[in-house]
Amino acid sequence: MSDMTSAPAAKLTLPDAQTVTAVTHWTDSLFSFRVSRPASLRFRSGEFVMIGLMGDNGKPLLRAYSIASPSWDEELEFYSIKVPDGPLTSKLQHIKVGDEIILRPKPVGTLVHDALLPGKRMWFLATGTGLAPFASLMRDPETYEKYEQVIMMHTCRTVAELEYGRRLVESLADDPLIGEMVAGKLLYYPTTTREEFHHMGRVTDNLSSGKVFADLGLPPMDPATDRAMVCGSLAFNVDVKAILEGFGLREGANSEPLEYVVEKAFVGDGV
Ligand SMILES: Cc1cc2nc3c(=O)[nH]c(=O)nc-3n(C[C@H](O)[C@H](O)[C@H](O)COP(=O)(O)OP(=O)(O)OC[C@H]3O[C@@H](n4cnc5c(N)ncnc54)[C@H](O)[C@@H]3O)c2cc1C
C-alpha cells in the first residue's frame, strides 16, 4: 500500500539564508541593500564575508563583500557594483525586499583597527565600491575614540557615483549614537576624475601633489601620527602603497599592527 501522507512542502529557504530588507539603486552600475543579520554573527567593522545566490547549477554562487554597516547595527548593509555580465551581480542587482540571499557568517579582513598601531589621524582611501568597508568604519564609535581626526578620501568617475558615500557622511551628523563624536573630527574629501566637481583628481595625485593637505589644512603624513586604510583596485592599491611608504608608513596586518593596511575592493582589472 502506498504512503498517502503528503510530502512536506518544498523547502525554499537557502542554506545560510538571510532576508533582504531594503534595496537602493544609486546609478546604473551601483546599488546598496540591507539584509537580516544572523544572530550568531559577530564581526569587526571593516571586515568582509562571502555572500551570493543559488546558481543555475544548484550550487551557491558566492563572492566576497565588505560589510558596509557598523558592527552594532542589527541588520547588515552591502554596497555593490553591477557588472553587466558578472556571474553574481547580473542576478544580484534584481533582488527585492523579501528575497533571500546566501551569507556565510565567517567575517575576515585586514581593514580593522586591530591591525594598526595607535595614532592621531586616520586616512580612509578608497575608489568606487572600495568605500564599503569605510561605510562601516565611519559609523563605528571606536573610530572616533581612537583618532582625533578621520579623513575619508573617495574617488569615482562621476558625481552620481559618489552619492551613496555623500549621503552616508551627511547622515552621521544626525546619528544619535555617534553624531556628537563625529562633529569636527570627520573630514570628507570626495573627488571625481571624469566630471566637473569642486574637488577633482585621483587620490594618488591629491596625496603626492600635497593638494589634499593644503585643502584640509593638514600637515603631510607622518608615521608618528598618521594611519591609513586603503581599498580599491589592484592598480590603485599598488600606487597608494608606494605613496604611503614614501611618507614612511609601513604595511601592517592583524598579526603585526603597523601604520597602514590594504584590501582589494575586487579581483581583476575592473574599471
Ligand atoms: C575582499 C573583497 C571585498 C569585496 N567587497 C565588495 C563590495 O563590498 N562590493 C562590491 O561590489 N564588490 C566587492 N568585491 C568584489 C566582489 O567579490 C565581486 O567581484 C563582484 O560582486 C562582482 O561579482 P560578479 O560575479 O558579478 O563578477 P566577477 O566575475 O566577480 O567580476 C567580473 C569583473 O568585474 C570587475 N569587478 C568586480 N567587482 C568590481 C567592483 N566592486 N568594482 C569595480 N569592478 C568590479 C572586475 O574586473 C572583475 O574581473 C570584493 C572583492 C574582494 C576580494
Side-chain angles (χ1 to χ4, degrees):
M1 200 177 92
S2 63
D3 182 4
M4 296 300 287
T5 53
S6 57
K11 196 163 184 282
L12 293 174
T13 299
L14 303 165
D16 287 333
Q18 297 302 325
T19 305
V20 177
T21 60
V23 183
T24 306
H25 291 271
W26 298 95
T27 69
D28 288 350
S29 62
L30 292 167
F31 71 116
S32 60
F33 57 96
R34 294 175 68 84
V35 301
S36 54
R37 176 173 176 169
S40 61
L41 177 65
R42 297 278 172 275
F43 68 98
R44 295 177 294 175
S45 295
E47 288 186 314
F48 67 89
V49 286
M50 302 301 291
I51 67 169
L53 296 170
M54 199 53 91
D56 296 336
N57 60 1
K59 292 185 181 161
L61 174 57
L62 300 172
R63 292 285 185 268
Y65 267 80
S66 297
I67 302 174
S69 46
S71 51
W72 51 262
D73 199 328
E74 60 194 25
E75 292 182 340
L76 298 173
E77 184 171 311
F78 297 97
Y79 180 47
S80 181
I81 191 83
K82 303 175 196 175
V83 182
D85 48 6
L88 178 64
T89 56
S90 59
K91 295 196 173 82
L92 190 69
Q93 62 179 286
H94 300 297
I95 53 168
K96 295 183 293 299
V97 171
D99 288 351
E100 289 182 339
I101 67 158
I102 305 167
L103 189 149
R104 297 271 191 259
K106 294 194 176 65
V108 287
T110 55
L111 301 179
V112 291
H113 286 304
D114 297 343
L116 293 172
L117 295 172
K120 283 189 177 170
R121 212 172 289 121
M122 167 63 91
W123 294 81
F124 293 147
L125 310 174
T127 57
T129 60
L131 180 83
F134 307 127
S136 174
L137 284 155
M138 278 194 287
R139 289 187 268 192
D140 190 332
E142 191 183 357
T143 299
Y144 305 95
E145 285 157 11
K146 283 194 148 60
Y147 295 94
E148 291 172 15
Q149 283 177 311
V150 179
I151 304 102
M152 178 74 243
M153 292 182 77
H154 184 212
T155 299
C156 294
R157 290 167 305 178
T158 66
V159 177
E161 289 168 349
L162 292 168
E163 187 62 7
Y164 170 78
R166 191 192 69 77
R167 293 263 194 106
L168 190 147
V169 170
E170 198 179 75
S171 73
L172 294 179
D174 300 325
D175 188 304
L177 182 66
I178 58 164
E180 281 184 23
M181 303 178 88
V182 173
K185 278 196 165 188
L186 177 63
L187 304 175
Y188 177 48
Y189 196 85
T191 58
T192 54
T193 52
R194 297 206 191 154
E195 188 181 347
E196 201 59 38
F197 191 53
H198 58 80
H199 285 119
M200 293 189 67
R202 297 178 182 281
V203 168
T204 43
D205 293 339
N206 285 316
L207 283 173
S208 49
S209 69
K211 186 174 188 309
V212 62
F213 307 118
D215 285 347
L216 298 178
L218 298 175
M221 285 189 195
D222 178 338
T225 50
D226 290 73
R227 303 290 171 262
M229 294 191 185
V230 184
C231 191
S233 66
L234 183 60
F236 173 80
N237 289 358
V238 168
D239 291 347
V240 174
K241 278 171 75 158
I243 293 168
L244 297 178
E245 301 268 345
F247 284 116
L249 278 65
R250 297 162 299 164
E251 184 171 2
N254 276 288
S255 54
E256 193 192 5
L258 285 169
E259 290 95 21
Y260 78 90
V261 279
V262 178
E263 194 117 81
K264 282 193 284 289
F266 57 90
V267 180
D269 296 335
V271 282

